[in-house]
Amino acid sequence: MAQKTRSFDQHIVRIRVLSCVLVVLIHITHAYLYAGGAIDSKKFIPLIFINAAARIGVPLFFMISGYLTLRKPYDPDKNRKKIFHYIGVLIAWSCFYLIWNKLFLNEDPVSNPLYYLFDTAKNHLWYLYDLVGLYIAFPFIQAMVHHMDRRMENMFLVLWLILAGGGRLLTRVLELSSIDVGIEYMVPILQATYWLGYFISGYLLYKRKDELKQKLSTPLLAAAFIGATVMITGLTYMDSMLADDFQDPFLTYGELFMMLSSTSFFLLNTRFKAKEHRLFNWFGPLTFGVYLVHPVFIDIAKELIRFPWASALYIPLLLVLIISVSAIIVWIMAKLPGLKKIVS
């Protein structure tokens, strides 16, 4: 997520910065939504809408990573170094959050360390598990993608949306009708790993961004993003009302409307001119570290603020404060040779 930005297309720089901001916004709204009694708050529907809109931040990170990685020739040595680098980052931050959870949240770690091969020490670290997995599979992914012709690329995108996104959406809708069913027999590649779809679609869509301007108008993409976000909001509200508590299945990243909102926004970003900006160039390389650090301040906010009844004004205030403090901390860490590797 965080590499040098000056050699990048400024559209990529901008969307990476925005993605980081949106991820922090997700976790701030989580503080409201997952607090007991959120469903009785007058802010419930607006909070769901903000959370649904902000959730594209995570898929956008995968799409950016896919484009920046798949456009380059496969280098086994470089890929191996990335795998071990991110494993090291995962171990370092897992240790930090195990200590943090014990000292600040009074949560005891699981006694068997093998547990953390399969589950996270802090929820947001799941991103690193998936990222390591994608880099392990990267030589096979790249070989597949670079042997696709235009027809196969189109087929992949459509089938990924229908099978992975549509399949999950259908199971969620059936659950609303009290029909409990899961996708047990998944189609390999297209359905079983929806993060792979985001990774590949980021590369395919961005390399074809100029061509797609002729086929997908800006108003159509905007309507797709807004419409998908409204659908997610409505379905989440309905699900929550039926359960008499906040429910998040329709907010998951592998659901069709989330895929549509993420991919449409990814393309929308390319329709507006992006100029080099000093703040973006400074903040861009810090985004990975900000992602790793910011939950500390979310935890502190939860202890100090009475969620979900706190004023909605806390949302922009916390967003600015948490991003600013996290960025400064990461900027300092990046200056220290011993800590630089775990924030980049």
Side-chain angles (χ1 to χ4, degrees), residues 146-187:
H146 285 279
H147 281 83
M148 288 183 181
D149 57 20
R150 189 55 52 88
R151 179 173 174 272
M152 290 182 68
E153 291 177 358
N154 292 338
M155 285 177 61
F156 176 88
L157 292 171
V158 171
L159 290 175
W160 169 63
L161 287 170
I162 293 173
L163 295 175
R168 283 178 173 81
L169 175 61
L170 180 59
T171 62
R172 308 300 189 205
V173 172
L174 288 173
E175 286 172 4
L176 289 180
S177 305
S178 301
I179 301 175
D180 190 8
V181 63
I183 305 176
E184 186 173 352
Y185 308 107
M186 295 188 181
V187 178

Short mmCIF file of all heavy atoms in Angstrom, two decimals, residues 146-187:
data_model
loop_
_atom_site.label_atom_id
_atom_site.label_comp_id
_atom_site.label_asym_id
_atom_site.label_seq_id
_atom_site.Cartn_x
_atom_site.Cartn_y
_atom_site.Cartn_z
N HIS A 146 -1.85 -12.60 -17.88
CA HIS A 146 -1.15 -12.14 -19.08
C HIS A 146 -1.37 -13.06 -20.28
O HIS A 146 -0.89 -12.76 -21.38
CB HIS A 146 0.33 -11.95 -18.79
CG HIS A 146 0.62 -10.72 -17.98
ND1 HIS A 146 0.71 -9.47 -18.54
CD2 HIS A 146 0.77 -10.53 -16.65
CE1 HIS A 146 0.94 -8.57 -17.59
NE2 HIS A 146 0.99 -9.19 -16.44
N HIS A 147 -2.07 -14.16 -20.05
CA HIS A 147 -2.44 -15.01 -21.18
C HIS A 147 -3.92 -14.87 -21.53
O HIS A 147 -4.44 -15.62 -22.34
CB HIS A 147 -2.12 -16.48 -20.86
CG HIS A 147 -0.67 -16.82 -21.03
ND1 HIS A 147 0.27 -16.56 -20.05
CD2 HIS A 147 0.02 -17.34 -22.08
CE1 HIS A 147 1.46 -16.93 -20.47
NE2 HIS A 147 1.34 -17.41 -21.69
N MET A 148 -4.58 -13.88 -20.94
CA MET A 148 -5.98 -13.61 -21.27
C MET A 148 -6.04 -12.68 -22.48
O MET A 148 -5.29 -11.70 -22.54
CB MET A 148 -6.69 -12.90 -20.10
CG MET A 148 -6.98 -13.77 -18.90
SD MET A 148 -7.89 -12.76 -17.67
CE MET A 148 -8.11 -13.96 -16.34
N ASP A 149 -6.94 -12.99 -23.40
CA ASP A 149 -7.23 -12.02 -24.45
C ASP A 149 -8.39 -11.14 -23.96
O ASP A 149 -8.90 -11.31 -22.86
CB ASP A 149 -7.55 -12.70 -25.79
CG ASP A 149 -8.73 -13.67 -25.69
OD1 ASP A 149 -9.54 -13.56 -24.73
OD2 ASP A 149 -8.84 -14.55 -26.56
N ARG A 150 -8.82 -10.20 -24.78
CA ARG A 150 -9.85 -9.25 -24.36
C ARG A 150 -11.15 -9.96 -23.99
O ARG A 150 -11.83 -9.60 -23.03
CB ARG A 150 -10.08 -8.24 -25.49
CG ARG A 150 -10.98 -7.06 -25.11
CD ARG A 150 -10.48 -6.32 -23.88
NE ARG A 150 -9.10 -5.93 -23.96
CZ ARG A 150 -8.66 -4.79 -24.49
NH1 ARG A 150 -9.52 -3.92 -24.96
NH2 ARG A 150 -7.37 -4.50 -24.49
N ARG A 151 -11.51 -10.98 -24.75
CA ARG A 151 -12.75 -11.71 -24.47
C ARG A 151 -12.67 -12.41 -23.12
O ARG A 151 -13.63 -12.38 -22.34
CB ARG A 151 -13.00 -12.73 -25.58
CG ARG A 151 -14.25 -13.58 -25.38
CD ARG A 151 -14.52 -14.44 -26.61
NE ARG A 151 -15.63 -15.36 -26.39
CZ ARG A 151 -15.50 -16.57 -25.86
NH1 ARG A 151 -14.28 -17.00 -25.51
NH2 ARG A 151 -16.54 -17.36 -25.68
N MET A 152 -11.54 -13.02 -22.82
CA MET A 152 -11.39 -13.71 -21.53
C MET A 152 -11.37 -12.72 -20.37
O MET A 152 -11.90 -13.01 -19.29
CB MET A 152 -10.10 -14.55 -21.55
CG MET A 152 -10.16 -15.75 -22.45
SD MET A 152 -8.63 -16.73 -22.39
CE MET A 152 -8.71 -17.37 -20.71
N GLU A 153 -10.78 -11.54 -20.59
CA GLU A 153 -10.81 -10.51 -19.55
C GLU A 153 -12.24 -10.11 -19.22
O GLU A 153 -12.62 -9.99 -18.04
CB GLU A 153 -10.01 -9.29 -20.00
CG GLU A 153 -8.52 -9.51 -20.09
CD GLU A 153 -7.78 -8.29 -20.63
OE1 GLU A 153 -8.43 -7.28 -20.97
OE2 GLU A 153 -6.53 -8.35 -20.70
N ASN A 154 -13.03 -9.89 -20.26
CA ASN A 154 -14.44 -9.52 -20.05
C ASN A 154 -15.19 -10.63 -19.33
O ASN A 154 -15.99 -10.37 -18.43
CB ASN A 154 -15.11 -9.21 -21.39
CG ASN A 154 -14.56 -7.95 -22.04
OD1 ASN A 154 -14.00 -7.09 -21.37
ND2 ASN A 154 -14.72 -7.84 -23.35
N MET A 155 -14.94 -11.87 -19.74
CA MET A 155 -15.60 -13.01 -19.11
C MET A 155 -15.23 -13.11 -17.64
O MET A 155 -16.09 -13.38 -16.79
CB MET A 155 -15.22 -14.31 -19.83
CG MET A 155 -15.88 -14.51 -21.18
SD MET A 155 -15.30 -16.04 -21.98
CE MET A 155 -15.81 -17.26 -20.77
N PHE A 156 -13.97 -12.88 -17.33
CA PHE A 156 -13.53 -12.96 -15.93
C PHE A 156 -14.28 -11.93 -15.09
O PHE A 156 -14.80 -12.26 -14.01
CB PHE A 156 -12.02 -12.73 -15.81
CG PHE A 156 -11.55 -12.70 -14.39
CD1 PHE A 156 -11.19 -13.86 -13.74
CD2 PHE A 156 -11.48 -11.50 -13.68
CE1 PHE A 156 -10.79 -13.85 -12.41
CE2 PHE A 156 -11.07 -11.47 -12.36
CZ PHE A 156 -10.72 -12.65 -11.73
N LEU A 157 -14.31 -10.68 -15.55
CA LEU A 157 -14.95 -9.62 -14.78
C LEU A 157 -16.44 -9.89 -14.57
O LEU A 157 -16.96 -9.75 -13.46
CB LEU A 157 -14.75 -8.27 -15.48
CG LEU A 157 -13.31 -7.74 -15.53
CD1 LEU A 157 -13.21 -6.52 -16.44
CD2 LEU A 157 -12.82 -7.38 -14.13
N VAL A 158 -17.12 -10.31 -15.62
CA VAL A 158 -18.56 -10.55 -15.53
C VAL A 158 -18.85 -11.75 -14.64
O VAL A 158 -19.73 -11.70 -13.76
CB VAL A 158 -19.17 -10.76 -16.93
CG1 VAL A 158 -20.62 -11.23 -16.82
CG2 VAL A 158 -19.08 -9.48 -17.74
N LEU A 159 -18.12 -12.84 -14.84
CA LEU A 159 -18.37 -14.05 -14.04
C LEU A 159 -17.99 -13.86 -12.59
O LEU A 159 -18.64 -14.40 -11.69
CB LEU A 159 -17.61 -15.24 -14.65
CG LEU A 159 -18.15 -15.75 -15.99
CD1 LEU A 159 -17.25 -16.85 -16.54
CD2 LEU A 159 -19.58 -16.26 -15.83
N TRP A 160 -16.94 -13.07 -12.34
CA TRP A 160 -16.56 -12.76 -10.95
C TRP A 160 -17.69 -12.01 -10.25
O TRP A 160 -18.07 -12.35 -9.12
CB TRP A 160 -15.28 -11.93 -10.95
CG TRP A 160 -14.92 -11.33 -9.62
CD1 TRP A 160 -14.61 -12.00 -8.47
CD2 TRP A 160 -14.82 -9.94 -9.31
NE1 TRP A 160 -14.33 -11.11 -7.46
CE2 TRP A 160 -14.45 -9.84 -7.95
CE3 TRP A 160 -15.00 -8.76 -10.05
CZ2 TRP A 160 -14.26 -8.60 -7.31
CZ3 TRP A 160 -14.80 -7.55 -9.42
CH2 TRP A 160 -14.44 -7.47 -8.07
N LEU A 161 -18.25 -11.02 -10.93
CA LEU A 161 -19.36 -10.27 -10.34
C LEU A 161 -20.58 -11.16 -10.11
O LEU A 161 -21.20 -11.13 -9.04
CB LEU A 161 -19.74 -9.10 -11.24
CG LEU A 161 -18.78 -7.91 -11.29
CD1 LEU A 161 -19.17 -6.94 -12.40
CD2 LEU A 161 -18.75 -7.18 -9.96
N ILE A 162 -20.92 -11.99 -11.09
CA ILE A 162 -22.12 -12.81 -10.99
C ILE A 162 -21.95 -13.93 -9.98
O ILE A 162 -22.80 -14.13 -9.09
CB ILE A 162 -22.49 -13.40 -12.37
CG1 ILE A 162 -22.91 -12.28 -13.32
CG2 ILE A 162 -23.61 -14.43 -12.24
CD1 ILE A 162 -23.14 -12.74 -14.75
N LEU A 163 -20.85 -14.68 -10.09
CA LEU A 163 -20.68 -15.86 -9.25
C LEU A 163 -20.27 -15.52 -7.83
O LEU A 163 -20.85 -16.03 -6.87
CB LEU A 163 -19.65 -16.80 -9.89
CG LEU A 163 -20.05 -17.41 -11.23
CD1 LEU A 163 -18.91 -18.21 -11.82
CD2 LEU A 163 -21.30 -18.28 -11.08
N ALA A 164 -19.27 -14.65 -7.69
CA ALA A 164 -18.80 -14.31 -6.34
C ALA A 164 -19.76 -13.33 -5.67
O ALA A 164 -20.27 -13.59 -4.58
CB ALA A 164 -17.39 -13.72 -6.40
N GLY A 165 -20.02 -12.20 -6.34
CA GLY A 165 -20.88 -11.19 -5.75
C GLY A 165 -22.35 -11.57 -5.74
O GLY A 165 -23.02 -11.49 -4.72
N GLY A 166 -22.84 -12.02 -6.90
CA GLY A 166 -24.25 -12.40 -6.99
C GLY A 166 -24.60 -13.59 -6.13
O GLY A 166 -25.67 -13.65 -5.52
N GLY A 167 -23.67 -14.56 -6.07
CA GLY A 167 -23.91 -15.74 -5.24
C GLY A 167 -24.05 -15.39 -3.77
O GLY A 167 -24.97 -15.86 -3.08
N ARG A 168 -23.16 -14.54 -3.29
CA ARG A 168 -23.24 -14.13 -1.89
C ARG A 168 -24.48 -13.29 -1.62
O ARG A 168 -25.12 -13.42 -0.58
CB ARG A 168 -21.97 -13.37 -1.49
CG ARG A 168 -20.78 -14.29 -1.26
CD ARG A 168 -19.52 -13.51 -0.90
NE ARG A 168 -18.43 -14.39 -0.52
CZ ARG A 168 -17.65 -15.04 -1.38
NH1 ARG A 168 -17.84 -14.87 -2.69
NH2 ARG A 168 -16.69 -15.84 -0.97
N LEU A 169 -24.81 -12.41 -2.56
CA LEU A 169 -26.01 -11.59 -2.38
C LEU A 169 -27.26 -12.47 -2.28
O LEU A 169 -28.14 -12.24 -1.44
CB LEU A 169 -26.16 -10.61 -3.55
CG LEU A 169 -27.43 -9.76 -3.56
CD1 LEU A 169 -27.51 -8.87 -2.32
CD2 LEU A 169 -27.50 -8.91 -4.82
N LEU A 170 -27.33 -13.49 -3.13
CA LEU A 170 -28.49 -14.38 -3.12
C LEU A 170 -28.62 -15.10 -1.78
O LEU A 170 -29.74 -15.22 -1.24
CB LEU A 170 -28.38 -15.40 -4.26
CG LEU A 170 -29.53 -16.40 -4.38
CD1 LEU A 170 -30.86 -15.68 -4.58
CD2 LEU A 170 -29.26 -17.37 -5.54
N THR A 171 -27.50 -15.58 -1.23
CA THR A 171 -27.58 -16.26 0.06
C THR A 171 -28.03 -15.30 1.16
O THR A 171 -28.78 -15.70 2.06
CB THR A 171 -26.23 -16.89 0.45
OG1 THR A 171 -25.23 -15.86 0.58
CG2 THR A 171 -25.77 -17.89 -0.60
N ARG A 172 -27.60 -14.03 1.11
CA ARG A 172 -28.01 -13.04 2.11
C ARG A 172 -29.53 -12.79 2.02
O ARG A 172 -30.21 -12.71 3.03
CB ARG A 172 -27.29 -11.71 1.92
CG ARG A 172 -25.79 -11.77 1.82
CD ARG A 172 -25.12 -12.34 3.03
NE ARG A 172 -23.68 -12.16 2.94
CZ ARG A 172 -22.78 -12.90 3.56
NH1 ARG A 172 -23.18 -13.89 4.34
NH2 ARG A 172 -21.50 -12.68 3.43
N VAL A 173 -30.03 -12.66 0.78
CA VAL A 173 -31.45 -12.40 0.59
C VAL A 173 -32.28 -13.59 1.08
O VAL A 173 -33.33 -13.43 1.71
CB VAL A 173 -31.75 -12.09 -0.90
CG1 VAL A 173 -33.26 -12.02 -1.14
CG2 VAL A 173 -31.08 -10.78 -1.31
N LEU A 174 -31.79 -14.80 0.80
CA LEU A 174 -32.49 -15.99 1.26
C LEU A 174 -32.53 -16.06 2.79
O LEU A 174 -33.53 -16.50 3.38
CB LEU A 174 -31.83 -17.25 0.69
CG LEU A 174 -32.04 -17.50 -0.81
CD1 LEU A 174 -31.19 -18.67 -1.28
CD2 LEU A 174 -33.51 -17.75 -1.12
N GLU A 175 -31.45 -15.60 3.41
CA GLU A 175 -31.43 -15.58 4.88
C GLU A 175 -32.48 -14.64 5.44
O GLU A 175 -33.03 -14.89 6.51
CB GLU A 175 -30.04 -15.18 5.37
CG GLU A 175 -28.99 -16.28 5.19
CD GLU A 175 -27.59 -15.81 5.51
OE1 GLU A 175 -27.44 -14.64 5.93
OE2 GLU A 175 -26.64 -16.58 5.32
N LEU A 176 -32.77 -13.54 4.73
CA LEU A 176 -33.83 -12.63 5.17
C LEU A 176 -35.18 -13.33 5.14
O LEU A 176 -36.10 -12.96 5.87
CB LEU A 176 -33.88 -11.40 4.27
CG LEU A 176 -32.73 -10.39 4.39
CD1 LEU A 176 -32.94 -9.22 3.44
CD2 LEU A 176 -32.59 -9.88 5.82
N SER A 177 -35.30 -14.34 4.27
CA SER A 177 -36.54 -15.12 4.17
C SER A 177 -36.50 -16.36 5.06
O SER A 177 -37.28 -17.29 4.86
CB SER A 177 -36.78 -15.53 2.71
OG SER A 177 -36.77 -14.42 1.86
N SER A 178 -35.55 -16.37 6.00
CA SER A 178 -35.39 -17.49 6.95
C SER A 178 -34.97 -18.77 6.27
O SER A 178 -35.26 -19.87 6.76
CB SER A 178 -36.69 -17.71 7.73
OG SER A 178 -37.05 -16.54 8.45
N ILE A 179 -34.31 -18.66 5.13
CA ILE A 179 -33.74 -19.83 4.47
C ILE A 179 -32.23 -19.77 4.65
O ILE A 179 -31.54 -18.99 4.00
CB ILE A 179 -34.09 -19.86 2.96
CG1 ILE A 179 -35.61 -19.87 2.78
CG2 ILE A 179 -33.47 -21.09 2.29
CD1 ILE A 179 -36.04 -19.76 1.32
N ASP A 180 -31.72 -20.56 5.57
CA ASP A 180 -30.30 -20.52 5.90
C ASP A 180 -29.52 -21.41 4.94
O ASP A 180 -29.60 -22.63 4.99
CB ASP A 180 -30.09 -20.99 7.35
CG ASP A 180 -28.66 -20.75 7.83
OD1 ASP A 180 -27.91 -20.08 7.09
OD2 ASP A 180 -28.31 -21.23 8.91
N VAL A 181 -28.79 -20.79 4.03
CA VAL A 181 -28.04 -21.54 3.04
C VAL A 181 -26.70 -20.85 2.80
O VAL A 181 -26.59 -19.63 2.88
CB VAL A 181 -28.84 -21.66 1.72
CG1 VAL A 181 -29.06 -20.28 1.11
CG2 VAL A 181 -28.14 -22.56 0.72
N GLY A 182 -25.68 -21.64 2.53
CA GLY A 182 -24.37 -21.09 2.23
C GLY A 182 -23.87 -21.61 0.89
O GLY A 182 -24.43 -22.56 0.33
N ILE A 183 -22.83 -20.98 0.38
CA ILE A 183 -22.24 -21.44 -0.89
C ILE A 183 -21.20 -22.50 -0.56
O ILE A 183 -20.07 -22.20 -0.19
CB ILE A 183 -21.60 -20.28 -1.66
CG1 ILE A 183 -22.60 -19.15 -1.88
CG2 ILE A 183 -21.08 -20.77 -3.01
CD1 ILE A 183 -22.02 -17.94 -2.56
N GLU A 184 -21.59 -23.75 -0.67
CA GLU A 184 -20.69 -24.84 -0.30
C GLU A 184 -19.79 -25.26 -1.44
O GLU A 184 -18.63 -25.60 -1.25
CB GLU A 184 -21.52 -26.04 0.19
CG GLU A 184 -20.67 -27.17 0.74
CD GLU A 184 -21.51 -28.27 1.37
OE1 GLU A 184 -22.74 -28.08 1.51
OE2 GLU A 184 -20.92 -29.31 1.73
N TYR A 185 -20.32 -25.26 -2.66
CA TYR A 185 -19.56 -25.71 -3.81
C TYR A 185 -19.22 -24.51 -4.68
O TYR A 185 -20.01 -24.09 -5.53
CB TYR A 185 -20.36 -26.76 -4.59
CG TYR A 185 -20.86 -27.87 -3.70
CD1 TYR A 185 -22.20 -27.95 -3.35
CD2 TYR A 185 -19.98 -28.82 -3.19
CE1 TYR A 185 -22.66 -28.96 -2.52
CE2 TYR A 185 -20.42 -29.82 -2.36
CZ TYR A 185 -21.76 -29.90 -2.02
OH TYR A 185 -22.20 -30.88 -1.19
N MET A 186 -18.05 -23.95 -4.47
CA MET A 186 -17.67 -22.71 -5.15
C MET A 186 -16.90 -22.99 -6.44
O MET A 186 -16.16 -23.98 -6.54
CB MET A 186 -16.82 -21.85 -4.23
CG MET A 186 -17.55 -21.35 -3.00
SD MET A 186 -16.55 -20.14 -2.10
CE MET A 186 -17.65 -19.77 -0.73
N VAL A 187 -17.08 -22.10 -7.40
CA VAL A 187 -16.33 -22.18 -8.65
C VAL A 187 -14.91 -21.70 -8.39
O VAL A 187 -14.72 -20.57 -7.92
CB VAL A 187 -16.98 -21.31 -9.75
CG1 VAL A 187 -16.16 -21.37 -11.03
CG2 VAL A 187 -18.42 -21.76 -9.99
#
